[in-house]
Amino acid sequence: EVQLVESGGGLVQAGGSLRLSCAASGFRFNDYFIAWFREAPGKAREGVSCIRNSDGQTFYADSVKDRFTISSDNANNMIFLEVNNLKPEDTATYYCAAAHALHLSLVTEYLYTHLYDNWGQGTQVTVSS
């Protein structure tokens, strides 16, 4: 059974940083893309970043690529998202999601929710001004 468990969210002042973690289990980690999405109140869920575990290639939404960094610890099946210089508009629930790389083999844009069929429960990030 695929399981994704996020942690690391919290309340932080604008300009601050957090490190979000996603613990993955139940699948061959290196065969998957792992992505971070976020959902703010009243807004659609949006892709933030993803990593292709087979080779470590990373992808970012334009809105965060200068402030967020995704990384993986393949030995421990962990994915991290370093979020820096946080802004109030970054306030959202952040979700970890997984998709088998074969399902994305014909895809060139990886940050769409419909591409991922395994989701965690989310971790809340609140940025105060």
Side-chain angles (χ1 to χ4, degrees):
E1 179 187 2
V2 174
Q3 283 195 320
L4 300 166
V5 180
E6 304 93 334
S7 61
L11 174 64
V12 63
Q13 288 188 330
S17 298
L18 286 172
R19 189 191 199 205
L20 307 183
S21 299
C22 173
S25 61
F27 59 96
R28 286 173 55 92
F29 194 71
N30 284 4
D31 291 344
Y32 277 69
F33 280 73
I34 308 291
W36 286 96
F37 289 79
R38 65 184 180 184
E39 186 172 335
K43 295 188 177 181
R45 192 170 296 190
E46 65 170 345
V48 173
S49 180
C50 71
I51 187 167
R52 183 166 57 203
N53 285 336
S54 61
D55 62 5
Q57 188 167 0
T58 59
F59 306 87
Y60 294 93
D62 288 342
S63 60
V64 304
K65 64 182 178 182
D66 295 329
R67 299 186 293 122
F68 291 10
T69 302
I70 192 170
S71 61
S72 67
D73 176 356
N74 286 23
N76 293 296
N77 288 10
M78 296 289 296
I79 294 290
F80 305 101
L81 186 69
E82 299 276 351
V83 293
N84 299 309
N85 190 21
L86 282 161
K87 305 174 182 180
E89 53 264 42
D90 294 317
T91 295
T93 301
Y94 284 71
Y95 296 91
C96 179
H100 198 287
L102 285 178
H103 299 164
L104 275 60
S105 61
L106 299 180
V107 173
T108 57
E109 299 288 338
Y110 299 108
L111 296 177
Y112 292 107
T113 56
H114 71 274
L115 297 175
Y116 295 84
D117 47 8
N118 301 286
W119 293 83
Q121 293 301 307
T123 186
Q124 178 67 38
V125 172
T126 303
V127 184
S128 63
S129 57

